[in-house]
Amino acid sequence: MGGPVVRNRAFFFANVEGGRKDNPSGFSVTGTGQTFGREAEIDRFISILQNKYGYDPGGKDEFIRTVNSDKVFVRTDFNVAHGQQFTVRHNYVSAANDIGRPTTAAYFMPDAFYRINNKTNSSVVQLNSAFGTAVNEARLTFQRVRDRRVGQPNEERPFPFVQVSLSSGTVRAGRENFSGANELDQDVYEFTNDFTWLKGKHTLTLGTHNEFFKFRNLFIRDTFGNYTFDSLDLFDQGLAQAFDYSFSLTGDPLQSAKFRVRQFGFYVGDLWRVASNFTLTLGVRADNPKFPDRPTANPLSVSALGYATDEVPTSVMWSPRVGFNYDLSGDSRQQLRGGLGLFTGRTPYVWLSNQYGNTGIEFRRLSVARGTGAQRIPFVADATAQPKSVGSAASNEIDLIDPDYKYPSLIRTNIAYDRELGFFGLIGTTEFLYSKNVNDVKYQNLNLVQAGTRPDGRPFYTRNRVPGLTDAILLTTTDEGDAWSIVFKVDRPFRNRFFMNASYLYGESTSILDGTSSQAASNWGNVYVPGDSNNPPLTRSNFDPGHRVTLSGGYDIPVGAGFTATASMFYSGQSGRPWSANYAFDYNGDVRGTNDLLYIPASASEYTFTNGTFNDLMTFVNAEPCLAEFIGKI
C-alpha cells in the first residue's frame, strides 16, 4: 500500500508479507517418504530411550520441517528541495527454519532436527542531491541481526546427542551437537557517500564506504554431550565408543566470542568516453579493516606451536580494475566488452570468530575419538551433568591465524561479444571469464605428527605434538586455485508482450578448500585428501559448474477489464555434482571420519574381503570410469 502524504512533497509505501511452509524431510521408518526400514531396530532404540533413560525422541513418522517467515517493509520519501530527495526505509524479518538431513544410511529422530530462529531489523536513511552536473548520494544504514540455533519447540528437556550403529546405517537422537549453545548477535552500522561529477567526456566518482561491526558469537559445541555407540547392545548397556563435550572455564557458562571490526573503504573511478563508440572504465578501491579487540593471549601456543593466539589480520585490500566497451559498428548493433581487475573481499567474520572463541583459555573440549572401538565410556543421560574429565582424553582446541595472513583476492578477466542477430529481435552473446586466486584461505592442523605410512603409501598421524590438545588449527593463505567459464546466450528482450532467453555454459573450477563450514576444525577436516591432511592437492571444486543449459520465456495475455495473465516457463539442466570415493572411517589417523580418499586395490591380496569378493569390487569399479582409472592408486 502506498500513496502521498503531502502532494508532490511526501510519500509513503508499506508492504507486509507472510510465508508458511511445511517441508517433508523425505524419510520415515514405515510411513510416507522414502522408507528407512530397520523398524525392529528403531523400535528397540526408542524403547531403550523411553524405558531405560526416561526420554521420548518422538515417533517413526516422517518429520515435517517448518519454514516460516514474516516480513514488514515501510518507506517514506520526501522532496526536500529542488534537486534533493530524502528517503527513510525499514525492513523487518522474523523467520524460523527446521534443518536436518536424513539419508538412507543415517536416520534422524524428530528431536535430532534443529531450528534456526532469525530476527533482522534494517534501517536506511538516504539523501540524494543534485548540483548542476554533479550528484551526491549519502546513505546511513543500521542492521540488527539476532540468530538462534535451538532444538525443537516441543522438546521437554535437552538430551545428549547420541548416534547408534544399526545392522546397516545409523540412527540419531537428542539435541543436535551444534545446537546446544549457538547464538549470533550482529550490530552493523554503515556509512556510504558517493559523489559523481560529469566533466566533459569523463564521469568521475569519488566515494567512501565504511562499516562498523559488533559481534557476539555464542558457540559451544557438544554442550550437552555427544556420544557414539557401535551397537544397540552397547547403547542399552550405556557404554559409548566415542565422546565429545565442551564447557566454559570462565565464570560465564555461556561464554561467547565478542569483538568489533571497523572497516574503512575509499574508492575513485572514471567512466571515460574516449570516442563516441568507445568507453573506458577505470577505478581503484582500498579497504582497511581494523580490529580494536584482540583474542586472549595463550603463552602455551607460542612456546609449543610458535604462533600467538592474539593475532588479528592487518593487511589492506587493494582493488584496481579496468574495463572497456567498444561499439564495433557505431550503430549499437554489436559491441565488444571486457575487463581486468584484482578483486578482494573480507574473510567471513564467523571464520575469524574461531580465533576469539578457541584460544585454549576460555573452554575445555573433551574428545575421545572412536579409534579401535575398544572404549567403554559410561553414558550420562543428564544433559546438564556431563563428566568434565574422561581418563586421559584430550581437553582443548586452539585456533590460530598466520601473522602474514592476507584477505582473499583474485585476478579476474572477461571478454564478451554482443550482437543483434537481425531476426525475431534476438540478441546473441558469447563471453569468456577467467579467475586466478592471488590469496585464498587454507587451514592446517599444527597438532598432527606423522607416525608412519599406510600400505598404500599415504602417511598416518597422531594428534600429540602438544599433549592435551585435540586440534591446533592455523588459518593461513594459498595462491592455488582458478576458474574459467564460457557462455553462449540468446535473448529476446520483452517486446510485444513476449520475452525469451536461452543459454549454454561450460566451466571448470579448482581449489584446495571450499570453506563449507563455520568452524576452523571442520573447514580443515572436511577436505578430502589422498595423504597429507595439511597440504591437500589442487583438485576439482565442490562448486565446479560443468555443463549448464537454461531456457526461459514468458507471454502476457490480455484478459479484459484491465487485467493481464502471464504464462511463463523455466528450465535448467546441469551436469552432476563432483563426488569422490572415500573410506567410511578414519584411515590416516587425523581423527576425521570420512575425509580419506579410497585406495582401489590392483590385486586380491591387498585387502581382506568380507560379504563379497575382489571380483565383485572390480565389477563395481569398472562400471564407473572415474574409479576404473584409479585401480592401484588412491
Side-chain angles (χ1 to χ4, degrees):
M1 182 171 60
V5 178
V6 177
R7 183 176 177 84
N8 297 330
R9 300 285 291 181
F11 314 88
F12 79 96
F13 178 80
N15 184 75
V16 178
E17 179 180 335
R20 297 293 182 269
K21 182 178 180 180
D22 291 337
N23 192 9
S25 65
F27 290 87
S28 69
V29 176
T30 57
T32 58
Q34 186 165 344
T35 301
F36 181 78
R38 310 160 179 84
E39 184 174 9
E41 293 177 280
I42 298 295
D43 284 340
R44 186 184 175 198
F45 176 68
I46 295 173
S47 176
I48 293 171
L49 283 168
Q50 291 176 338
N51 300 322
K52 187 177 181 69
Y53 301 118
Y55 178 72
D56 185 359
K60 299 180 291 184
D61 294 334
E62 182 177 14
F63 182 80
I64 307 300
R65 295 181 296 208
T66 295
V67 184
N68 291 346
S69 67
D70 296 315
K71 304 172 185 176
V72 178
F73 174 73
V74 292
R75 169 175 173 152
T76 56
D77 292 87
F78 303 89
N79 291 324
V80 179
H82 180 71
Q84 289 190 315
Q85 291 82 39
F86 183 67
T87 299
V88 179
R89 61 182 185 268
H90 182 80
N91 262 314
Y92 169 77
V93 178
S94 177
N97 186 12
D98 290 333
I99 299 176
R101 300 175 181 86
T103 69
T104 54
Y107 189 74
F108 287 49
M109 298 302 296
D111 66 324
F113 289 80
Y114 62 90
R115 172 169 290 191
I116 292 182
N117 293 316
N118 168 271
K119 282 185 170 54
T120 298
N121 283 276
S122 178
S123 300
V124 178
V125 176
Q126 182 170 322
L127 177 64
N128 295 341
S129 305
F131 312 97
T133 60
V135 295
N136 190 83
E137 179 184 301
R139 185 171 63 253
L140 181 65
T141 301
F142 171 67
Q143 292 180 323
R144 185 179 189 271
V145 184
R146 297 295 183 264
D147 289 309
R148 302 291 182 263
R149 180 164 166 168
V150 297
Q152 287 300 304
N154 58 353
E155 189 178 82
E156 294 182 1
R157 63 183 174 91
F159 191 78
F161 182 67
V162 296
Q163 177 174 294
V164 181
S165 294
L166 307 175
S167 58
S168 63
T170 61
V171 60
R172 303 177 182 184
R175 178 68 66 87
E176 195 265 348
N177 53 316
F178 301 129
S179 305
N182 194 333
E183 299 178 359
L184 178 60
D185 296 346
Q186 303 178 75
D187 293 330
V188 186
Y189 294 89
E190 297 181 17
F191 174 70
T192 303
N193 193 88
D194 292 330
F195 179 77
T196 303
W197 183 30
L198 279 67
K199 180 67 174 176
K201 293 184 177 182
H202 299 269
T203 301
L204 302 170
T205 298
L206 179 66
T208 179
H209 178 75
N210 308 279
E211 300 174 327
F212 306 91
F213 300 90
K214 181 181 179 182
F215 298 110
R216 170 187 168 268
N217 186 14
L218 168 64
F219 178 64
I220 309 176
R221 65 175 183 258
D222 308 311
T223 189
F224 295 136
N226 179 0
Y227 294 84
T228 300
F229 299 86
D230 280 354
S231 69
L232 284 168
D233 288 339
L234 288 165
F235 182 50
D236 194 17
Q237 297 168 33
L239 298 173
Q241 283 58 69
F243 173 66
D244 292 278
Y245 174 53
S246 299
F247 58 94
S248 172
L249 295 175
T250 72
D252 183 0
L254 297 178
Q255 176 70 32
S256 58
K258 299 176 182 178
F259 63 103
R260 295 165 295 164
V261 184
R262 300 164 182 166
Q263 179 166 313
F264 303 94
F266 302 92
Y267 43 88
V268 60
D270 181 15
L271 183 67
W272 179 18
R273 297 168 186 82
V274 180
S276 61
N277 64 337
F278 187 81
T279 301
L280 196 62
T281 304
L282 304 161
V284 63
R285 175 172 178 150
D287 290 283
N288 187 13
K290 298 287 188 180
F291 293 78
D293 308 303
R294 287 179 174 266
T296 304
N298 186 344
L300 171 66
S301 178
V302 177
S303 61
L305 300 169
Y307 290 91
T309 58
D310 57 349
E311 290 282 352
V312 294
T314 57
S315 62
V316 177
M317 297 180 285
W318 289 95
S319 304
R321 61 197 65 175
V322 60
F324 74 92
N325 187 293
Y326 180 31
D327 183 356
L328 294 170
S329 56
D331 58 3
S332 301
R333 295 179 64 85
Q334 58 177 331
Q335 66 177 358
L336 187 68
R337 54 186 171 85
L340 173 68
L342 176 67
F343 292 83
T344 63
R346 58 175 176 257
T347 304
Y349 286 124
V350 68
W351 289 354
L352 299 181
S353 74
N354 288 291
Q355 279 70 256
Y356 287 84
N358 292 319
T359 66
I361 299 293
E362 288 85 2
F363 295 98
R364 177 158 292 147
R365 303 190 184 279
L366 300 181
S367 179
V368 182
R370 192 170 184 178
T372 63
Q375 293 95 330
R376 296 293 185 268
I377 305 159
F379 174 57
V380 178
D382 186 348
T384 62
Q386 295 299 298
K388 295 190 174 182
S389 64
V390 180
S392 59
S395 60
N396 236 320
E397 174 187 332
I398 292 178
D399 293 341
L400 305 154
I401 190 167
D402 190 330
D404 296 324
Y405 176 79
K406 300 292 190 299
Y407 292 103
S409 62
L410 55 83
I411 292 175
R412 174 170 288 166
T413 184
N414 80 305
I415 186 74
Y417 175 66
D418 307 298
R419 180 185 179 89
E420 289 188 9
L421 300 182
F423 55 91
F424 300 127
L426 298 178
I427 299 173
T429 295
T430 181
E431 182 167 9
F432 176 79
L433 188 145
Y434 175 75
S435 301
K436 174 69 177 72
N437 284 342
V438 177
N439 293 299
D440 200 3
V441 295
K442 178 181 180 180
Y443 287 89
Q444 295 179 312
N445 191 339
L446 304 182
N447 206 34
L448 291 188
V449 177
Q450 186 172 344
T453 305
R454 291 297 187 202
D456 60 13
R458 83 182 78 201
F460 72 88
Y461 302 92
T462 59
R463 294 193 303 179
N464 64 0
R465 179 178 174 183
V466 182
L469 280 188
T470 51
D471 299 303
I473 308 297
L474 176 70
L475 173 60
T476 183
T477 54
T478 178
D479 62 359
E480 295 189 81
D482 65 358
W484 67 268
S485 63
I486 186 167
V487 64
F488 302 94
K489 183 172 65 170
V490 176
D491 280 300
R492 186 188 189 278
F494 184 82
R495 187 166 56 251
N496 298 328
R497 303 198 301 269
F498 174 69
F499 84 93
M500 64 83 62
N501 173 284
S503 69
Y504 165 76
L505 176 144
Y506 178 77
E508 295 183 359
S509 177
T510 64
S511 68
I512 65 168
L513 179 148
D514 286 315
T516 57
S517 176
S518 59
Q519 297 184 74
S522 296
N523 271 334
W524 164 75
N526 288 345
V527 180
Y528 302 146
V529 291
D532 186 350
S533 300
N534 282 336
N535 292 288
L538 184 67
T539 186
R540 188 182 302 273
S541 167
N542 288 344
F543 306 108
D544 183 83
H547 300 273
R548 187 176 186 189
V549 174
T550 60
L551 303 170
S552 64
Y555 185 73
D556 282 358
I557 309 168
V559 294
F563 289 95
T564 300
T566 299
S568 60
M569 59 81 67
F570 175 77
Y571 169 81
S572 175
Q574 187 165 354
S575 53
R577 293 186 302 170
W579 60 276
S580 64
N582 309 331
Y583 287 107
F585 57 92
D586 177 25
Y587 187 56
N588 71 346
D590 62 5
V591 198
R592 303 300 297 188
T594 58
N595 69 331
D596 297 316
L597 293 169
L598 183 69
Y599 171 79
I600 300 179
S603 66
S605 63
E606 294 184 85
Y607 276 152
T608 299
F609 293 88
T610 59
N611 299 321
T613 66
F614 174 72
N615 289 333
D616 294 333
L617 177 62
M618 288 300 102
T619 298
F620 173 77
V621 167
N622 286 314
E624 174 49 70
C626 293
L627 295 180
E629 67 178 279
F630 285 94
I631 294 175
K633 303 175 185 176
I634 300 172

